[in-house]
Amino acid sequence: MTTFTLHTPDTAPEASKPLLAQSKKSFGMIPGLHAVMAEAPGLLEAYQRVHELFVNSSFNKDELTVVWQTINVEHACHYCVPAHTAIAKSMGVSEDVSLALRNETPLADPRLEALRVFTLSLVRNRGNVDSDTVETFINAGFTQRHILEVVLGVSQKIMSNYTNHLAKTPVDAPFKEFTWTKVA
């Protein structure tokens, strides 16, 4: 079995060193995901940039969380679900929203639920979302821009979820209290 390296600023490829420095500046630590991604500087750079673009999209903190966690849970990402639970908490997202997403139960807010259902359909159907689901999403107050920004969020999560599956990235200490396993 291949064991992936958790790079430090000392062991990382030269092109990843400034990227890891940026991670430490942004998060106060080098997340394990970034330490793994550092092996491929282009992946780490792309991930950081797509993350920044998605955070600066037109979605608010609750909507960002719905997109991230819907994808993380669907992909059964052992690392990202706890990480984004902690991130959601730090952003002031309601614990009810976080718990519903982690438990794959409908969200109480109809607009957020429409976002969850649309995101889930996009992931499960590899972008082939039926017109009724798109119409329901639009009728919930979202726009074509939001549709495309969900695609951006999916792009970010594919990079992280797939990396974590392959590398079996250990959950970082600050996220361990939110450890999660997908219900069968």
Side-chain angles (χ1 to χ4, degrees):
M1 181 171 100
T2 299
T3 301
F4 284 77
T5 303
L6 290 169
H7 283 287
T8 67
D10 294 330
T11 65
E14 202 58 42
S16 288
K17 290 180 180 185
L19 300 170
L20 289 178
Q22 180 59 45
S23 295
K24 186 162 185 162
K25 180 180 175 189
S26 296
F27 297 98
M29 63 178 211
I30 297 173
L33 170 65
H34 299 205
V36 169
M37 286 181 164
E39 181 70 28
L43 176 62
L44 179 55
E45 182 177 2
Y47 180 78
Q48 288 177 334
R49 183 68 179 126
V50 172
H51 173 77
E52 178 185 344
L53 291 167
F54 189 62
V55 166
N56 292 313
S57 70
S58 64
F59 289 124
N60 66 34
K61 63 184 171 63
D62 293 330
E63 294 163 345
L64 290 169
T65 299
V66 168
V67 173
W68 279 326
Q69 285 293 58
T70 299
I71 301 162
N72 292 335
V73 169
E74 181 63 16
H75 288 162
C77 187
H78 72 282
Y79 180 93
C80 287
V81 173
H84 279 283
T85 302
I87 291 166
K89 186 173 184 170
S90 74
M91 292 168 51
V93 173
S94 160
E95 188 172 346
D96 291 343
V97 169
S98 285
L99 287 174
L101 292 166
R102 287 168 60 98
N103 296 328
E104 299 183 82
T105 57
L107 295 162
D109 180 308
R111 180 176 161 86
L112 293 179
E113 179 60 10
L115 177 58
R116 186 186 75 82
V117 168
F118 177 80
T119 303
L120 197 54
S121 181
L122 187 75
V123 171
R124 286 181 176 167
N125 298 303
R126 296 185 178 117
N128 295 300
V129 180
D130 66 76
S131 58
D132 288 343
T133 303
V134 172
E135 189 173 328
T136 299
F137 185 65
I138 296 295
N139 289 339
F142 292 102
T143 66
Q144 290 177 1
R145 177 180 177 170
H146 292 114
I147 290 170
L148 297 173
E149 288 178 338
V150 172
V151 172
L152 179 65
V154 171
S155 300
Q156 177 194 1
K157 294 286 71 197
I158 285 174
M159 285 187 267
S160 61
N161 294 167
Y162 288 17
T163 297
N164 290 320
H165 288 316
L166 291 164
K168 298 180 182 9
T169 312
V171 176
D172 298 306
F175 311 141
K176 283 192 186 254
E177 71 179 282
F178 304 111
T179 297
W180 172 89
T181 304
K182 187 168 181 83
V183 177

